[in-house]
């Protein structure tokens, strides 16, 4: 599925609905993302800004809209109190590079289009948390660390295994107090 393509997203939601066969969807993880490593203020252009925003911010928004009925169903069918990933949750994979407060610490890598798109994703997460709370859906942004992937390169700090294990151990501890926040792969809060 291409998260830049709205009809591909609605088609995917229909496929998932069919597979669930009347049940709800507990967990939506928006992981797809793109990154232009060379995008400084001198080199970034409109096309890169729009393309990156479409994938990193608009895609997760459309995904949540399309899967919302299934997430709501999971929350309604759950007997659990409060908010949790085992009830119904939207997890947006974001980055510390989208934190406005933390930007001076890493601005040696400007990556303008990526930062701006992920700051938008962080704002989206807060808006989703405030809107979907009454439907029983937890909404959290997670930073996976600097990870050895195609995006992170082999110079990165963490293996995929370490990052993913960390993220998977954070999911079960998330509750309503975390909804609308940005946390790292160890569960530590990152300021917006
Ligand atoms: N690696 C890091 O150090 C790091 C740090 C902070 C945050 N993150 C975040 O972690 C997430 C995963 O990144 P990664 O490191 O695994 O990056 P990656 O190695 O570049 O992989 C990105 C993934 O996103 C998919 N993707 C890109 N555009 C898409 C689209 N329009 N529709 C559907 N899928 C699309 C790619 O699919 P194809 O292979 O088919 O293109 C690929 O599977 C991203 O949101 C990224 O911003 C990564």
């Amino acid at each position: 599925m291409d998260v830049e393509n709205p009809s591909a997203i609605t088609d995917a939601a229909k496929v998932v609905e069919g597979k669930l066969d009347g049940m709800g969807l507990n967990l939506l993880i928006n992981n797809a993302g793109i990154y232009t490593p060379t995008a400084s203020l001198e080199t970034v252009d409109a096309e890169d800004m729009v393309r990156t925003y479409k994938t990193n911010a608009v895609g997760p928004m459309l995904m949540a809209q399309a899967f919302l009925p299934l997430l709501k169903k999971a929350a309604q069918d759950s007997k659990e109190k409060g908010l949790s990933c085992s009830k119904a949750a939207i997890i947006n994979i974001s980055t510390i590079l989208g934190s406005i407060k933390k930007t001076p610490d890493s601005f040696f890598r400007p990556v303008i289009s990526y930062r701006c798109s992920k700051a938008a994703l962080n704002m989206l997460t807060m808006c989703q948390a405030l809107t979907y709370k009454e439907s029983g859906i937890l909404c959290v942004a997670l930073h996976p660390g600097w990870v050895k992937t195609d995006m992170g390169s082999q110079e990165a700090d963490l293996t995929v295994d370490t990052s993913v294990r960390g993220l998977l151990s954070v999911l079960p501890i998330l509750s309503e107090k975390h909804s609308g926040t940005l946390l790292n792969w160890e569960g530590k809060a990152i300021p917006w």
Side-chain angles (χ1 to χ4, degrees), residues 1-3 31-33 93-94 114 118 144-147 149-152:
M1 178 190 57
D2 178 0
V3 299
N31 178 63
I93 302 298
S94 186
Y114 186 68
K118 292 290 191 172
W146 185 23
V147 192
T149 61
D150 287 347
M151 183 185 291

Side-chain angles (χ1 to χ4, degrees), residues 1-5 30-35 51 54-56 92-97 109 114 118 121 142-153 156-158 160 163 167:
M1 178 190 57
D2 178 0
V3 299
E4 281 194 51
N5 178 350
N30 286 311
N31 178 63
I34 57 171
Y35 170 76
R51 191 175 63 100
K54 257 180 118 175
T55 301
N56 294 358
N92 292 323
I93 302 298
S94 186
T95 169
I96 197 167
L97 300 183
R109 266 191 293 159
Y114 186 68
K118 292 290 191 172
L121 178 64
L142 290 181
H143 165 57
W146 185 23
V147 192
K148 294 181 201 295
T149 61
D150 287 347
M151 183 185 291
S153 84
D157 293 333
L158 303 174
V160 169
S163 170
L167 292 168

